[in-house]
Amino acid sequence: MMDGKMFISVIVPLKLEWEPCYWVAEINEGVVVGDRIMVRFAGKDYVGIVSGVGVEPSVDPERVMEAGEVVAGMRRVSRQEIELWRQMAEYYMCSVGEVYKAAYPSQKVHLEQAFANALKREADRQQERKNSRIQKLERKIEQLRARREKAEEVLRKREEMLGKARTEATAVKFEDSRKKAELELSSIISSISDVQKQLALFIESDSGHLPLDLEHKTGNYELTHCADSEAASTEPQRLTGTVILTPAQNTAYEAIKEAFSMGKPVLLNGVTGSGKTEIYIRLAQETLAKGHSVLYLVPEIALSRQLEMRLQKHFGGNMLIYHSGQTAARKRYVAFEIGSRKTYVVLGTRSAIFLPHNNLGLIVIDEEHDSSYKQDSPAPRYNGRDTALMLARIQQTEATTGRELVTACRCNVLMGSATPSLEELYNCSVGRHKLVRLSERFHKAENTEIELIDTRLERRRNGMRGNFSLKLIGRIQEVLQTGGQVLILRARRAWASAVQCTRCGEIQKCPHCNVSLSLHVNQATGNSTLLCHYCGWSAPYTGRCGKCSGELTTLGSGTQKIEEEAAALFPQARIARIDSDTVRSGNKQEINIIQDFSEGKTDILVGTQMITKGFDFSKLRLVAVIAADSLLGMQDFRADEKAMQLLEQFRGRCGRREEKGRFVIQTSQPEHPVYQKIINNESGDFCLNLLAERKEFSFPPYTRIVEIQLKDNYEDRAERMAGKLSNALSASLYKVYGCSPSLIAGPYTPIPDKLADNYLRMIRISLPKDRNLKKGKDIIWAEIIKFEKGEKYSGHVTVNVDPS
């Protein structure tokens, strides 16, 4: 303190390499770390987070600005949150302010009363929804009672008529009539009892939603559910029912508990359909019973929606949902609930990591291999799986040493996947994590039969009809005739992936990006559009070349064209499509498409990669991949690994019940090692081979990759500046690593090399995973800051640690 001033450091939501210092009046000693406070920086007002109190300013104290008021009505940020931000900033080579901005993207000042009103409105809406549905059930009971009175009157008259019967034949006729009336009355009484039980179950629940079974029976089934043995049940179930495990699941469960007791994160490698979710639920129930909370992460919103109703039966009102598709008000509400509850279960995507968690006892990371856990832009470019491990360590440390919590808590981490990432397999091989296998399917189903169709050979035999081979057409017809369902994967959306001039050969490209334009057809209006999938630029499709006015022809096929061809080939089938064109964030389109397929209202579903992830459909008998080779054509050292994971995941969508499923792959490279390993059920050996290759060529997980991208409006400047930065990095890293030819690659021109009028250049650095790793990253970060300041570079430099 100095002259009545107390100096504080503040985190602001900006890319700053330091935390600005401000002063508050000495009498304002109520300011503590975590308070949200108004500050002015570079002429703009921000809501900052107090990160230090009583600090020494690094500049002349007279130049330090005064901070504004502490913001009333906004929750104080915990020390655990700030510590997570700092660790993320250090590891992912960005500023703490950028992490803060990601954690609170819609930072606005909300007065205490306004926020309280928002919470009250949310509670009122839930209560109103609950009251409305209770009234519907009560009206249904009244209607049934009225029917019962009529049925009783009918039965009474039938009995009177039976008593007055004069002949045996008439008596038999009246007796049959009386029995029918008696059965009708009995059925109505039973229905009344069922609805009354359902009404009691709903009134007792804290949720604003009907239990799954009640929704289904009363015709108000709004959310998709997993078509498994639990979800298919029509009997009311207790919200907190204990999960019964099979012997194989129980063996895996006990192995997980043993690893937890040793303080190790666990990788559950369970085949598709083995029932990993049941184990997650069992462990979550035990964690709640001990007074601790649970974070359940899934890679995409679609999976969180599918799981919601399934988990709702077990956790009821104790469960919260959090993902990027929610409104800012809903997100604030969830954050408020977490801060006010003793225990909770949060089901969410990677952004749920930033919630103000307290007393976490378990973090579940489902489908840990999925690349959707990695954020590519903006900073922090973090991996949700690895950040969750950071969070677990912080929660455990705080629970053990923090002043607010008096009991020690180990925050266990359970990662699950049928196709684990090589990074996690490596962590298990070196003893950092524990590997637990679950190799038996829940329903004891046989392995899916795999069929490779060589499209080169089929074309020579005239065996193709558009994108469908005659063999695949036959397989689909067989399934449809027996009442089964079909999933068709095409890894590209649109009608055609490109259009080319038949006269000059020009491929139509985006004027702002060096990429081809995709053709999209509006099936409702018949209008067609050329669209850039990178910057969003579009133009009406005229069918004529913009260069020479020649006629255009299409190249490649996307999901739109596959859907159109399927409709022509199978006119009696009900067909739907799911991709980013049919699904928009914030609406119910995606969930309706999946729900219809789950309920058997759709026979064939065509989609992109989103249909491969975690869904469980009871009538699915065939899954097929069109143009599978596009999965292998990526310029990425992870291409084979990703292709193997996606194909194995897609294979696991069918044959999850007693009936055997079929997996059809249409390819022009049937001899490719990925396909051969899948056919021979040797994906495990394939992963071991990939690990050996990675080690030989110094790729992750044996090294850490730092990818630096330069964006510039001028191509020559991008090239020149990338060269300067690369030379500076080489000189500095040489002092630590010496002359290592595999250390720095670039600068090189990526594909695509121009996006949104910005030219791109890349530098890729592979750092050995040794004691110099942190030092090497510090050098890189320091050189980038020095470069930006020294060159006064007006372009944009981004850093991506562990790119996906």
Side-chain angles (χ1 to χ4, degrees):
M1 298 182 187
M2 183 182 299
D3 298 328
K5 298 178 180 179
M6 180 173 68
F7 296 100
I8 60 174
S9 59
V10 178
I11 300 171
V12 293
L14 297 171
K15 183 182 178 181
L16 300 176
E17 307 315 316
W18 76 99
E19 294 171 15
C21 183
Y22 295 87
W23 68 266
V24 295
E26 184 178 345
I27 59 173
N28 194 3
E29 293 188 8
V31 175
V32 298
V33 171
D35 277 341
R36 308 194 195 206
I37 193 167
M38 294 302 302
V39 296
R40 192 165 184 81
F41 186 88
K44 293 184 179 181
D45 292 327
Y46 296 95
V47 178
I49 306 297
V50 178
S51 58
V53 176
V55 302
E56 290 291 334
S58 58
V59 298
D60 182 356
E62 296 300 323
R63 296 175 57 192
V64 177
M65 294 178 62
E66 182 181 9
E69 295 292 326
V70 172
V71 181
M74 297 187 78
R75 180 191 56 81
R76 181 177 293 159
V77 175
S78 69
R79 290 181 180 270
Q80 294 99 314
E81 289 178 87
I82 295 175
E83 177 59 24
L84 178 64
W85 299 351
R86 293 196 189 285
Q87 290 191 22
M88 289 182 67
E90 179 181 342
Y91 185 84
Y92 291 105
M93 300 173 68
C94 62
S95 68
V96 179
E98 289 173 298
V99 184
Y100 164 40
K101 186 176 181 179
Y104 295 92
S106 56
Q107 185 68 278
K108 296 179 181 178
V109 177
H110 294 269
L111 297 178
E112 185 173 1
Q113 188 59 47
F115 188 56
N117 290 341
L119 293 176
K120 185 177 184 301
R121 285 195 298 271
E122 178 70 22
D124 289 345
R125 279 195 295 268
Q126 287 192 0
Q127 188 61 44
E128 183 180 348
R129 180 167 57 244
K130 184 174 181 177
N131 291 341
S132 174
R133 295 184 178 183
I134 288 175
Q135 289 172 4
K136 287 181 181 179
L137 288 174
E138 289 175 339
R139 284 196 297 270
K140 187 168 185 177
I141 291 174
E142 291 175 3
Q143 293 169 357
L144 287 169
R145 285 173 175 167
R147 287 179 57 194
R148 182 182 65 185
E149 291 178 2
K150 291 181 181 180
E152 288 173 343
E153 179 64 19
V154 170
L155 178 61
R156 184 183 63 77
K157 289 181 179 180
R158 296 289 188 273
E159 289 175 341
E160 289 178 355
M161 294 172 67
L162 178 62
K164 297 177 180 179
R166 296 180 179 180
T167 64
E168 184 176 348
T170 304
V172 170
K173 179 179 179 182
F174 285 162
E175 175 63 17
D176 290 342
S177 178
R178 187 196 69 79
K179 287 182 177 179
K180 289 181 181 178
E182 189 176 53
L183 287 173
E184 174 68 16
L185 177 60
S186 176
S187 175
I188 294 173
I189 293 173
S190 177
S191 296
I192 292 174
S193 177
D194 285 344
V195 177
Q196 286 176 332
K197 289 178 182 178
Q198 295 165 1
L199 177 61
L201 177 65
F202 182 55
I203 291 174
E204 290 175 3
S205 74
D206 295 327
S207 172
H209 298 282
L210 285 167
L212 173 65
D213 313 291
L214 192 55
E215 294 255 11
H216 185 70
K217 285 189 174 184
T218 57
N220 294 315
Y221 189 27
E222 295 180 350
L223 293 176
T224 187
H225 62 285
C226 196
D228 59 8
S229 57
E230 291 183 5
S233 171
T234 57
E235 291 298 319
Q237 299 182 27
R238 292 170 53 235
L239 290 176
T240 56
T242 302
V243 174
I244 305 301
L245 303 179
T246 65
Q249 288 174 326
N250 195 64
T251 299
Y253 162 79
E254 293 295 340
I256 291 168
K257 295 279 286 183
E258 182 181 356
F260 283 172
S261 68
M262 297 185 292
K264 285 191 174 185
V266 176
L267 170 63
L268 177 58
N269 179 200
V271 298
T272 50
S274 58
K276 296 184 289 294
T277 304
E278 281 72 22
I279 297 177
Y280 301 157
I281 293 172
R282 177 74 169 271
L283 291 166
Q285 289 175 329
E286 293 178 357
T287 302
L288 292 175
K290 294 177 182 177
H292 303 305
S293 299
V294 178
L295 173 60
Y296 192 134
L297 293 176
V298 291
E300 291 193 0
I301 296 173
L303 288 182
S304 72
R305 286 169 171 166
Q306 187 192 43
L307 276 169
E308 180 177 354
M309 292 307 292
R310 186 176 181 182
L311 298 181
Q312 191 87 42
K313 294 188 298 177
H314 296 282
F315 304 114
N318 212 22
M319 192 179 73
L320 298 165
I321 310 299
Y322 191 89
H323 54 70
S324 59
Q326 295 174 317
T327 63
R330 182 64 190 177
K331 290 178 180 178
R332 287 194 295 272
Y333 174 78
V334 173
F336 177 84
E337 286 292 298
I338 285 176
S340 61
R341 295 186 183 187
K342 291 183 179 179
T343 61
Y344 55 83
V345 176
V346 170
L347 173 66
T349 52
R350 65 174 184 255
S351 57
I353 290 170
F354 292 117
L355 287 168
H357 296 289
N358 61 83
N359 199 25
L360 278 179
L362 175 66
I363 299 178
V364 174
I365 309 169
D366 196 16
E367 308 294 353
E368 63 81 21
H369 68 277
D370 200 294
S371 60
S372 297
Y373 279 121
K374 174 67 174 178
Q375 173 161 305
D376 292 320
S377 186
R381 293 168 177 81
Y382 68 100
N383 186 299
R385 175 198 62 209
D386 300 336
T387 305
L389 290 165
M390 287 184 194
L391 175 62
R393 289 191 293 268
I394 292 170
Q395 287 283 313
Q396 182 169 322
T397 302
E398 290 293 332
T400 304
T401 63
R403 294 181 179 179
E404 297 179 2
L405 300 175
V406 296
T407 59
C409 168
R410 173 180 287 129
C411 184
N412 297 309
V413 179
L414 176 59
M415 295 164 280
S417 176
T419 55
S421 63
L422 295 189
E423 281 76 10
E424 269 311 302
L425 290 176
Y426 170 79
N427 286 332
C428 292
S429 69
V430 297
R432 192 173 295 133
H433 298 166
K434 176 67 175 178
L435 175 62
V436 175
R437 298 189 187 277
L438 180 57
S439 304
E440 183 180 289
R441 287 194 165 195
F442 185 79
H443 292 281
K444 304 288 182 69
E446 297 181 55
N447 283 333
T448 302
E449 187 174 338
I450 304 172
E451 182 177 359
L452 278 182
I453 298 177
D454 186 345
T455 53
R456 296 172 304 180
L457 184 60
E458 294 304 310
R459 284 192 175 89
R460 288 197 293 268
R461 295 173 174 174
N462 195 28
M464 297 293 294
R465 298 296 180 267
N467 288 280
F468 290 78
S469 65
L470 292 179
K471 290 182 179 179
L472 177 56
I473 293 171
R475 297 300 186 193
I476 293 175
Q477 289 173 337
E478 290 173 7
V479 170
L480 296 178
Q481 288 169 2
T482 58
Q485 292 176 300
V486 179
L487 270 182
I488 299 176
L489 168 65
R490 176 64 177 112
R492 292 177 181 170
R493 61 188 176 101
W495 199 87
S497 54
V499 291
Q500 185 177 27
C501 178
T502 57
R503 180 187 298 171
C504 69
E506 180 81 3
I507 293 179
Q508 307 300 294
K509 291 187 176 182
C510 173
H512 306 288
C513 309
N514 190 17
V515 295
S516 60
L517 293 167
S518 298
L519 177 62
H520 288 252
V521 178
N522 188 321
Q523 295 174 331
T525 64
N527 297 328
S528 299
T529 304
L530 291 176
L531 176 67
C532 175
H533 287 176
Y534 287 85
C535 73
W537 183 88
S538 65
Y541 178 66
T542 62
R544 292 293 171 180
C545 175
K547 183 178 180 180
C548 71
S549 299
E551 186 178 354
L552 296 176
T553 185
T554 59
L555 301 175
S557 303
T559 50
Q560 281 189 332
K561 189 173 183 179
I562 301 301
E563 179 189 23
E564 185 177 298
E565 290 182 356
L569 291 168
F570 313 104
Q572 304 303 317
R574 297 164 295 178
I575 302 172
R577 172 170 55 90
I578 183 168
D579 54 32
S580 57
D581 294 326
T582 61
V583 175
R584 289 291 179 267
S585 177
N587 67 21
K588 295 183 178 180
Q589 184 69 13
E590 175 182 11
I591 202 168
N592 290 338
I593 294 172
I594 295 172
Q595 178 179 321
D596 286 347
F597 194 74
S598 177
E599 294 177 351
K601 296 177 182 177
T602 305
D603 301 312
I604 300 175
L605 181 59
V606 179
T608 51
Q609 286 91 329
M610 64 175 65
I611 65 174
T612 69
K613 300 179 179 181
F615 297 113
D616 188 356
F617 305 114
S618 60
K619 294 183 179 180
L620 184 60
R621 298 291 175 265
L622 173 67
V623 294
V625 185
I626 303 290
D629 301 334
S630 62
L631 302 173
L632 304 170
M634 298 181 292
Q635 290 191 337
D636 181 4
F637 69 89
R638 289 191 173 94
D640 285 358
E641 178 192 5
K642 290 179 179 179
M644 174 69 77
Q645 290 169 342
L646 188 143
L647 292 172
E648 282 286 4
Q649 287 286 332
F650 193 45
R651 171 191 180 184
R653 295 312 104 216
C654 72
R656 298 169 73 96
R657 296 298 183 273
E658 288 77 9
E659 294 189 37
K660 192 173 185 178
R662 183 183 295 273
F663 180 30
V664 177
I665 302 174
Q666 288 196 164
T667 172
S668 60
Q669 304 178 60
E671 69 284 349
H672 195 284
V674 169
Y675 303 139
Q676 293 302 315
K677 292 296 182 183
I678 289 177
I679 285 180
N680 297 320
N681 292 311
E682 296 175 349
S683 57
D685 293 338
F686 186 65
C687 289
L688 293 178
N689 293 337
L690 288 178
L691 277 172
E693 289 180 6
R694 299 276 183 89
K695 186 175 183 180
E696 180 180 357
F697 294 102
S698 297
F699 278 122
Y702 298 95
T703 58
R704 283 273 186 251
I705 286 182
V706 178
E707 201 171 67
I708 302 169
Q709 182 186 80
L710 283 81
K711 290 183 181 180
D712 203 300
N713 293 330
Y714 301 96
E715 186 173 12
D716 60 338
R717 188 169 64 182
E719 183 73 26
R720 187 174 66 257
M721 289 299 175
K724 284 188 176 183
L725 179 57
S726 179
N727 292 336
L729 289 167
S730 297
S732 295
L733 291 172
Y734 176 81
K735 299 173 184 177
V736 178
Y737 297 101
C739 184
S740 175
S742 62
L743 188 65
I744 296 183
Y748 61 91
T749 303
I751 299 177
D753 63 343
K754 180 186 176 185
L755 294 177
D757 293 321
N758 282 300
Y759 294 91
L760 311 181
R761 292 297 182 270
M762 305 291 293
I763 303 170
R764 174 171 283 196
I765 305 173
S766 296
L767 297 176
K769 292 175 70 172
D770 55 23
R771 57 187 177 85
N772 289 320
L773 177 60
K774 184 180 181 305
K775 187 176 181 180
K777 290 173 67 177
D778 290 343
I779 289 173
I780 295 170
W781 188 231
E783 283 297 335
I784 291 174
I785 295 171
K786 181 181 176 182
F787 167 78
E788 289 182 313
K789 292 180 178 179
E791 297 291 340
K792 296 182 180 179
Y793 184 50
S794 59
H796 191 53
V797 180
T798 62
V799 182
N800 192 358
V801 178
D802 301 336
S804 60

